[in-house]
Amino acid sequence: MKFTLSWLYDHLETQATLAEICAALNQIGLEVESVENKGAALEPFLTARILDAQPHPNADRLQVCRVDAGPGFSDVQVVCGAPNARKDLAVIFAPPGAYVPGLDITIKAGKVRGELSGGMLCSLRELGLGAETSGIAELPADTLPGQSYADYAGLDDVVIDIAITPNRGDALGVRGIARDLAAAGLGTLRPWLAETVEGTFPSPVEWAITYPEACPWVLGRTIRGVKNGPSPEWLRNRLESIGLRSISTLVDITNYFCFDLGRPLHVFDAGKIAGSKLTICRGEGETFRTLDGQDCTVTSDDCVIADQNGVQSLAGIMGGEATGATEATTDVFVECALFDPVCIALSSRRLGLSSDSSYRFERGVDQALPVAALEAATRMIVELCGGEASEVVSAGQQPAWQRTATLRFDRVRDLGGLDVPADESVALLEKLGFEVQERTSTQVDVGVPSWRNDVAQAPVLSQGQDLPANVAAQAAEGVAKIEAESDLVEEVLRLKGLDAVPAVPLPALSVVPGASLTPVQTRFALARRVLAARGLTETVGFSFVSHDEAMNFGSAPESLRLLNPIASDLDQMRPTPLVNLVAAVRHNSARGWGDIGLFEIGPAFAENAQQTLAAGVRSGYTPRYPGAASNPVSLWAAKADAQELLRQFGVNPDAITTTADAPAWYHPGRSGVLRQGPKNVLAYFGELHPSVLQATGIDVPVVAFEVFVEAVPQPKKKKRNAPTLSAFQPVRRDFAFVIAQDIPVESVLRAVRGADRQLVVDVSLFDIYTGQHVAEGTRSVGVEVTLQPTDKSLTDAELEAVSERIVAAVSKATGAVLR
């Protein structure tokens, strides 16, 4: 909400400085976001008059001017190159030391082509105020020299921008802000009374309401014989100072009251209204063009204003182009209505239209103001545009806005921590417009003013279906009382100054503080360090993604579809962080960075559960080294990433089995599942399916892994003994087994480990071969076995015996034969 100091002074009589006003606004909860003073930068510039102008003796396009710029600069010589510089011209003078924002220079006295120059004559562009011109600015002939140009041009009016919380619709008008400041002791609220304009004829346009849920009350009147055109300077400057574009007098008047009183209005060109009645009703799928030139199609849930030709305005949001006021308008019909905040908010979001009017209606407007606002707008239209007003016509009736609230004086101390005397609490509420109805020594009942829609409103409760009716009613009544009293406590506290409320720490939950991180949180931190150490870069992605992208990674159920997404392409809760990682790979690959590794630790959503995954991708090709070619990223790299993460989590590698039943977004035959036991799935890994890469537009190889961090069991706490280090060298032996193609290599490795658990300390796969000398349907699997004796060196006979046990164990488990 923007306003100027001069505008605030129209409603607030005060001697407070700008700093005091801003400090008070912050203390009462109207946070100051910015303060803009355009005149501060132009303070050194002065109005002046050229006393004489002669050609420069050493330059054809320059003139030597004598300038009167008031005391201290009554006769200054200035060299000027502007073609319009001439005797008796009123100009803008920049003395030495002045900074010229349009040129980014500071003026210095000196010589120009041998002639002294003690300043500069400026154009509006050089002051940063206007467009390019061919000369210096020309001021009116009666301008007196020596004035500050900022004061002369009215640029010294400071613009203040404050943040408005959703419950403070009354602060969306300058008068509401002035009321708050006066209540806080920063001055006196000036009286405001709208003078009645007597109607001289019956209005040819009347109202009808068929959608009372959206509009309970509407007023209007016709003003004929008006003359529309540019607004007077004071009105145009006031609107433009807060960033509004001046359109015409009639439109500017409605914008003025929208910001002055927080009361939206609308003017129809009465000559363009078809028939004698405007109806506030539901839309019926019609399309009409709004004042900003957009074609808008309304629904049956939208409130519209229609004549015989159809929709002419989206009620409370934006008028229609067909009946908008123009310079040719001579008769107008002024609308002043109350609209339901929820209805306006839903229509605004559904149709993608927002305006200053809808912003105020959504937060609630003064329900008792329409009559006075219509009279004030009528008088201003008649004063500025002429014409005569009709009698006021209306439909519906003023809603029963009267509400009461009770404040127990000790609740200010108990809830807010600030001990405010009872008399002072009552006085503060009265300054805000609350009317005392009954008071005792312990509490006060007050009537809530019409402009405070946020105080003592009936709360909306979501109560259990099985709750008895009498209990539900009692609970609702209690909540309403508590909410209303809390509102009054807030009013007293903020007027006392939020800075005065003491800071009190929350009570400790226990004497001994809890752990700063849970075991699961500790794992997440460990996972980040491990994956970063393996060369992957961490990313952070949205939990919601495109529905189509989610479909590439399994199901995208409607139960996880967002009803109100922040963007149309972010409408589905993601099934896995791989959706975001693959999108990042696509983005980088399209820009020439296809060889990357990324990971994310974040949530994945299923229809009945949510879990946290550590997911990663590697894309492109490996680096080239002397003697080593660049190869596509391998699924074994993804498996190694997942296995290392599980190992760091304390999972014994020997307890992990690998199966080939990875989900459909992985390449069949080039992917796997890491399990601990038959049911507990710890991770997926492998190449992404070609169809996924094609659907996402990626043309480089991509491998991925997903580790289900929360599914990994916490390691059992065991007493650790000092490791036993053998004094004997290990012995390594290679074995090649021929096994059927459908037998997992994992079975061979497991059988080797179980052949002799005392001597066999490590088993690793080093070769898989198919082709010549190996029968069709079989493959040769080469494994390296490490034997570690502990008490003596192994003899040849003992080595042979161990080898036979290994071959026998593998043959029994897989049917393999030694090659």
Side-chain angles (χ1 to χ4, degrees):
M1 170 66 188
K2 288 186 177 181
F3 60 94
T4 63
L5 272 184
S6 64
W7 200 339
L8 179 67
Y9 293 153
D10 287 350
H11 294 281
L12 182 68
E13 185 176 351
T14 180
Q15 299 298 320
T17 64
L18 173 63
E20 292 171 337
I21 291 174
C22 292
L25 288 169
N26 285 324
Q27 289 172 0
I28 62 178
L30 302 177
E31 183 181 357
V32 176
E33 293 196 319
S34 67
V35 177
E36 182 182 10
N37 186 0
K38 294 182 179 179
L42 304 180
E43 192 63 32
F45 295 86
L46 304 171
T47 58
R49 182 176 303 280
I50 298 178
L51 302 175
D52 187 33
Q54 299 295 331
H56 194 292
N58 302 319
D60 295 337
R61 297 184 179 181
L62 299 179
Q63 296 186 75
V64 179
C65 302
R66 290 176 43 243
V67 176
D68 176 12
F73 302 98
S74 58
D75 192 353
V76 181
Q77 179 169 298
V78 178
V79 176
C80 179
N84 61 332
R86 60 187 183 273
K87 183 180 180 181
D88 294 330
L89 179 65
V91 294
I92 303 172
F93 172 71
Y99 173 74
V100 183
L103 299 178
D104 192 24
I105 61 172
T106 299
I107 302 301
K108 296 180 181 179
K111 289 186 177 182
V112 178
R113 294 288 184 94
E115 294 292 329
L116 291 175
S117 182
M120 175 180 176
L121 304 183
C122 303
S123 67
L124 293 180
R125 181 192 66 81
E126 291 165 340
L127 268 62
L129 300 176
E132 183 70 46
T133 60
S134 59
I136 56 178
E138 298 187 15
L139 303 182
D142 58 352
T143 303
L144 296 177
Q147 303 177 72
S148 167
Y149 178 72
D151 295 343
Y152 168 82
L155 298 174
D156 57 339
D157 201 1
V158 177
V159 179
I160 302 174
D161 187 9
I162 62 174
I164 303 297
T165 53
N167 65 316
R168 292 301 308 277
D170 64 298
L172 288 171
V174 179
R175 185 164 183 81
I177 299 170
R179 183 188 298 112
D180 266 18
L181 288 172
L186 215 67
T188 304
L189 185 66
R190 298 181 188 274
W192 181 85
L193 181 64
E195 298 182 28
T196 301
V197 179
E198 297 294 337
T200 59
F201 62 95
S203 174
V205 181
E206 296 183 344
W207 284 114
I209 298 177
T210 62
Y211 193 3
E213 298 88 353
C215 179
W217 189 32
V218 62
L219 306 172
R221 74 192 316 173
T222 301
I223 305 175
R224 65 189 182 190
V226 300
K227 183 178 181 181
N228 196 18
S231 294
E233 185 177 1
W234 73 267
L235 179 57
R236 184 172 62 253
N237 290 343
R238 181 150 288 183
L239 296 179
E240 290 178 349
S241 67
I242 62 173
L244 294 180
R245 180 171 60 91
S246 177
I247 299 175
S248 67
T249 304
L250 289 172
V251 177
D252 288 354
I253 288 173
T254 63
N255 287 333
Y256 171 80
F257 283 106
C258 186
F259 282 82
D260 186 63
L261 301 177
R263 175 65 251 184
L265 300 166
H266 182 63
V267 290
F268 295 89
D269 188 327
K272 299 177 182 178
I273 297 175
S276 61
K277 184 174 293 185
L278 286 175
T279 303
I280 297 179
C281 56
R282 293 179 181 270
E284 297 180 356
E286 306 99 322
T287 298
F288 79 106
R289 177 157 293 185
T290 59
L291 285 171
D292 60 356
Q294 298 185 48
D295 289 331
C296 175
T297 301
V298 297
T299 69
S300 60
D301 293 325
D302 299 316
C303 182
V304 300
I305 301 176
D307 62 6
Q308 290 183 357
N309 290 337
V311 177
Q312 299 301 335
S313 175
L314 185 58
I317 301 178
M318 193 169 295
E321 186 179 80
T323 54
T326 65
E327 291 189 0
T329 298
T330 57
D331 299 339
V332 296
F333 184 73
V334 186
E335 167 234 312
C336 183
L338 288 179
F339 295 108
D340 178 68
V342 175
C343 178
I344 296 298
L346 292 176
S347 290
S348 178
R349 285 152 181 75
R350 181 166 46 246
L351 301 174
L353 285 176
S354 182
S355 64
D356 292 324
S357 294
S358 66
Y359 190 77
R360 284 156 177 78
F361 279 123
E362 289 173 15
R363 286 152 181 80
V365 297
D366 188 340
Q367 299 182 73
L369 186 62
V371 173
L374 182 60
E375 294 292 351
T378 300
R379 181 162 296 279
M380 186 175 287
I381 290 175
V382 172
E383 289 177 353
L384 299 183
C385 301
E388 58 177 331
S390 74
E391 299 171 350
V392 175
V393 294
S394 66
Q397 59 184 357
Q398 183 179 5
W401 55 266
Q402 293 80 2
R403 306 179 304 281
T404 60
T406 300
L407 173 65
R408 291 169 289 177
F409 299 126
D410 58 357
R411 299 299 284 170
V412 178
R413 180 193 64 246
D414 296 341
L415 293 180
L418 193 63
D419 195 1
V420 182
D423 290 341
E424 186 176 0
S425 296
V426 173
L428 291 174
L429 292 175
E430 287 181 319
K431 289 180 179 180
L432 283 174
F434 292 87
E435 182 179 350
V436 176
Q437 296 180 344
E438 185 178 352
R439 177 179 174 179
T440 66
S441 60
T442 59
Q443 67 181 42
V444 63
D445 297 336
V446 296
V448 180
S450 59
W451 54 81
R452 289 306 299 270
N453 293 281
D454 60 314
V455 179
Q457 286 282 20
V460 178
L461 297 179
S462 178
Q463 297 179 316
Q465 298 294 330
D466 56 347
L467 197 66
N470 62 327
V471 176
Q474 185 178 3
E477 182 180 356
V479 170
K481 290 182 179 179
I482 293 173
E483 289 284 344
E485 187 174 47
S486 300
D487 291 337
L488 296 183
V489 170
E490 180 184 359
E491 295 305 299
V492 173
L493 290 176
R494 70 182 188 84
L495 289 184
K496 283 291 294 181
L498 296 178
D499 293 346
V501 178
V504 179
L506 292 174
L509 297 178
S510 64
V511 177
V512 179
S516 59
L517 291 177
T518 65
V520 174
Q521 290 173 326
T522 302
R523 276 191 170 174
F524 293 152
L526 175 61
R528 289 184 174 91
R529 293 197 300 270
V530 170
L531 295 177
R534 293 186 63 82
L536 302 179
T537 301
E538 184 176 11
T539 67
V540 178
F542 284 130
S543 291
F544 26 85
V545 297
S546 164
H547 178 77
D548 294 337
E549 289 180 341
M551 289 295 293
N552 294 327
F553 293 86
S555 62
E558 286 298 319
S559 60
L560 296 179
R561 197 82 174 263
L562 299 180
L563 298 179
N564 186 25
I566 62 173
S568 59
D569 58 344
L570 298 174
D571 60 346
Q572 183 77 37
M573 302 305 292
R574 68 183 185 185
T576 169
L578 287 184
V579 181
N580 306 77
L581 294 174
V582 169
V585 169
R586 178 185 65 234
H587 182 85
N588 284 274
S589 179
R591 287 157 178 78
W593 295 92
D595 303 340
I596 58 175
L598 306 172
F599 78 92
E600 179 181 350
I601 298 175
F605 300 88
E607 197 158 12
N608 299 318
Q610 173 185 336
Q611 56 183 328
T612 303
L613 273 62
V617 294
R618 293 181 183 271
S619 67
Y621 296 85
T622 60
R624 291 188 300 174
Y625 296 101
S630 177
N631 298 307
V633 289
S634 169
L635 68 94
W636 306 116
K639 183 180 182 182
D641 291 331
Q643 285 182 319
E644 179 60 21
L645 202 53
L646 294 175
R647 190 182 70 81
Q648 293 290 343
F649 288 164
V651 179
N652 186 352
D654 294 342
I656 298 176
T657 59
T658 306
T659 59
D661 53 343
W665 54 89
Y666 288 97
H667 194 303
R670 299 183 184 177
S671 59
V673 179
L674 299 180
R675 300 174 181 270
Q676 189 176 35
K679 295 182 179 180
N680 190 17
V681 175
L682 301 181
Y684 301 145
F685 71 90
E687 296 182 13
L688 288 185
H689 199 285
S691 63
V692 173
L693 298 181
Q694 183 178 7
T696 53
I698 298 177
D699 56 1
V700 296
V702 180
V703 297
F705 65 88
E706 298 165 85
V707 177
F708 303 95
V709 180
E710 295 167 327
V712 180
Q714 291 290 338
K716 295 180 179 180
K717 295 183 178 180
K718 297 181 180 179
K719 184 178 180 180
R720 293 187 177 182
N721 298 320
T724 301
L725 302 178
S726 176
F728 303 95
Q729 289 187 348
V731 179
R732 293 179 176 85
R733 290 288 184 268
D734 293 344
F735 296 84
F737 298 98
V738 178
I739 62 174
Q741 286 277 12
D742 58 349
I743 295 178
V745 175
E746 185 75 33
S747 300
V748 176
L749 301 178
R750 192 181 305 111
V752 173
R753 293 191 190 99
D756 191 325
R757 296 192 177 275
Q758 295 297 323
L759 288 176
V760 177
V761 295
D762 187 36
V763 182
S764 61
L765 174 71
F766 70 85
D767 181 56
I768 297 178
Y769 172 75
T770 58
Q772 192 176 8
H773 305 303
V774 176
E776 187 175 353
T778 63
R779 55 181 171 173
S780 173
V781 175
V783 296
E784 181 186 62
V785 181
T786 302
L787 305 174
Q788 179 63 65
T790 57
D791 54 357
K792 65 173 183 176
S793 296
L794 297 176
T795 63
D796 290 342
E798 290 171 334
L799 286 175
E800 187 64 28
V802 171
S803 298
E804 290 177 357
R805 290 197 297 273
I806 290 174
V807 173
V810 173
S811 178
K812 180 180 178 181
T814 65
V817 296
L818 189 65
R819 183 179 172 190

